[in-house]
Every structure is written in structure tokens, then in C-alpha cells.
Amino acid sequence: MDDKRKQIIVNEIKMWKETKMIPQEYCDFLLAIYTEGNEANTRKQNGAGKSVKKQAAVSVFILALIAIAVFVIYFTELHFILQTMILTAFVGCLLFLGIHYANKLNFRT
């Protein structure tokens, strides 16, 4: 296959990967085939670093919410109804994050 056709196919696969038309693993596999393993490895390593940073930021956010909730509920003398509302908001936020990331993971597999 000539280089021009390979480049067209590689560009199309990259577009599929960016728009998530097919799973990322399939795109990486196809890119490895058509680029003979040269381009897929570098892209995968760069994307993995971003994913780890994003997970760390979400984890820090959740831990901060837990710390704030514990402080507000146990170490302040707020009215019982206000403490209940704060705890409900905290649980609602965690449920939203859990459902959001569970749905996000289902689409990737």
C-alpha cells in the first residue's frame, strides 16, 4: 500500500479516536498496524498521564468534600435541620459523581 493511502487511513483512525466513534483500544490497535507501531505508543503514554491527573484531582475533590462534611457536621453547633440539609447535599453530590463516572466508564468498554 502506498504512503498516501496509509496516511489517509491513519488520519481517519485518528478522527475516530478523537470523536470516540469506536473504542480507544481498537483505534490504538489499528494505528499500530498502519504506522507499524511508531505513533500509537507515544499517543497512549501522553493520554495516560492526563487520565491519572484527572483521577487525582477528582479524588482530592472528594476527600475535601468529606473533610468539610465531617467538620461541619461534627465540630459545629448548627441546628439539626441545617446539618441534615448539609449531609443530604453532600450525599447527593457523591451520588451524582458516582453515577456520572459509572456511566462514563460503561461507554468506554
Side-chain angles (χ1 to χ4, degrees):
M1 185 181 301
D2 63 341
D3 289 335
K4 186 176 181 181
R5 293 183 87 193
K6 279 186 183 181
Q7 189 60 36
I8 291 171
I9 293 172
V10 167
N11 289 338
E12 189 70 22
I13 294 170
K14 287 179 185 178
M15 193 262 313
W16 291 345
K17 188 174 182 178
E18 289 174 8
T19 58
K20 297 181 177 157
M21 290 177 72
I22 60 175
Q24 185 174 4
E25 292 83 13
Y26 296 166
C27 293
D28 291 340
F29 176 72
L30 291 171
L31 283 172
I33 289 173
Y34 285 104
T35 61
E36 292 150 1
N38 294 334
E39 190 165 328
N41 293 334
T42 58
R43 295 254 181 195
K44 190 172 183 180
Q45 290 173 353
N46 292 339
K50 291 179 183 178
S51 175
V52 170
K53 289 179 183 178
K54 191 172 184 179
Q55 274 185 328
V58 170
S59 298
V60 168
F61 178 71
I62 291 173
L63 289 175
L65 280 178
I66 291 172
I68 290 169
V70 167
F71 179 76
V72 168
I73 291 174
Y74 291 112
F75 298 116
T76 59
E77 293 184 20
L78 297 174
H79 195 268
F80 178 72
I81 295 173
L82 184 58
Q83 284 185 345
T84 304
M85 289 175 55
I86 291 171
L87 183 62
T88 303
F90 171 71
V91 170
C93 184
L94 286 180
L95 280 173
F96 172 75
L97 286 173
I99 291 169
H100 175 72
Y101 283 106
N103 288 338
K104 198 173 189 181
L105 290 176
N106 286 340
F107 287 128
R108 289 185 184 171
T109 57

